[in-house]
Amino acid sequence: MLARQPPAASPSDAVERYLPRVMRRLLLLALFAIGPALPAQAAASPEFALRPGDVLQLFHWRDSLLRGDFPIEVDGSVVLPLLGRRSVTGRPWSSVRDSLGAAYARELRAPDLRITPLRRVFVLGFVRQPGILLADPNTTIAGAIAMAGGASADGDLRRVRVRRDGAVLAERVSVESDLVRADVRSGDEVFVDRRGWFDRNSAFMVSAIVGLAGIVVTLIVAR
């Protein structure tokens, strides 16, 4: 009596066998393509110093003239409403904050004024909205990437480069590293590198392999 042979595999069986692998691969690619809105970490030290190009943001709940962003000029000064031109660089932020607060207290009956320093950060490379950003001192480097829209379709959040004061601070590090989760500094340059060729074309490669496997199975069945 002849042994019963198992039925030959069909092309649809081959596709179903490879489909879970394809879906897992596409899911990983989607996770790395999306720039996560990472939360800010600990507040920045009040001892940092402002630099030209940074901005002082003023907000007063009642007086609209005391609301706005006021850039720090090349000479380290800023022109503020009621106070005029003031030098704000070359000393710790805590000193600048206290002196400006005291000056406004003399000018205002209700000196309920919020003064926020905004740091100028360059986020470049393969992000959705590259350019110059203004970030508050609580923003991390990873948070600045999120402000730029996160990684583009070709961006790789595992390959982040950071330049600070003309020197490379980090090279090809992940957004999950401790360094990238540190606070930004004025003038930081953050560059998100491009994903490798295989990562960018893996979906096509897997589809081609699945299609080729289907052809091979069809030929085997046809014999």
Side-chain angles (χ1 to χ4, degrees):
M1 182 177 179
L2 296 176
R4 187 176 181 180
Q5 300 294 328
S10 66
S12 60
D13 294 333
V15 172
E16 291 178 358
R17 186 180 305 114
Y18 284 100
L19 185 58
R21 300 181 185 178
V22 177
M23 296 302 295
R24 286 196 299 269
R25 188 65 181 177
L26 293 177
L27 179 59
L28 288 174
L29 291 175
L31 289 175
F32 282 113
I34 299 174
L38 298 175
Q41 302 297 305
S45 168
E47 300 310 311
F48 77 90
L50 294 167
R51 297 174 54 174
D54 292 343
V55 167
L56 285 182
Q57 184 181 78
L58 270 59
F59 179 82
H60 192 274
W61 66 276
R62 188 174 59 181
D63 193 342
S64 61
L65 296 178
L66 295 176
R67 301 173 195 166
D69 296 340
F70 302 91
I72 300 172
E73 300 177 9
V74 178
D75 62 358
S77 66
V78 59
V79 179
L80 297 173
L82 296 182
L83 302 184
R85 186 174 298 276
R86 295 294 178 108
S87 178
V88 293
T89 59
R91 52 197 175 115
W93 163 244
S94 57
S95 174
V96 175
R97 178 195 60 203
D98 293 344
S99 64
L100 292 179
Y104 273 113
R106 292 190 294 267
E107 299 290 337
L108 301 172
R109 292 183 178 179
D112 186 13
L113 180 68
R114 185 173 70 232
I115 306 175
T116 304
L118 299 179
R119 293 165 163 174
R120 184 178 59 164
V121 183
F122 302 83
V123 183
L124 307 170
F126 292 88
V127 292
R128 290 188 175 90
Q129 300 172 5
I132 301 175
L133 302 177
L134 293 175
D136 67 57
N138 293 331
T139 305
T140 63
I141 295 174
I145 295 175
M147 290 175 62
S152 64
D154 289 337
D156 192 342
L157 295 176
R158 299 164 299 179
R159 297 182 179 182
V160 178
R161 183 168 69 250
V162 181
R163 288 177 58 89
R164 179 172 293 169
D165 297 328
V168 177
L169 188 64
E171 184 78 24
R172 290 192 174 185
V173 296
S174 169
V175 290
E176 297 181 355
S177 69
D178 292 338
L179 176 62
V180 179
R181 287 179 176 270
D183 62 291
V184 295
R185 304 285 180 86
S186 299
D188 278 356
E189 299 175 14
V190 183
F191 187 90
V192 176
D193 206 349
R194 192 179 192 184
R195 292 188 294 127
W197 183 90
F198 182 79
D199 285 340
R200 288 183 282 114
N201 296 277
S202 59
F204 170 78
M205 296 292 294
V206 171
S207 298
I209 292 173
V210 171
L212 180 60
I215 294 174
V216 171
V217 172
T218 302
L219 294 175
I220 294 175
V221 174
R223 288 185 177 181

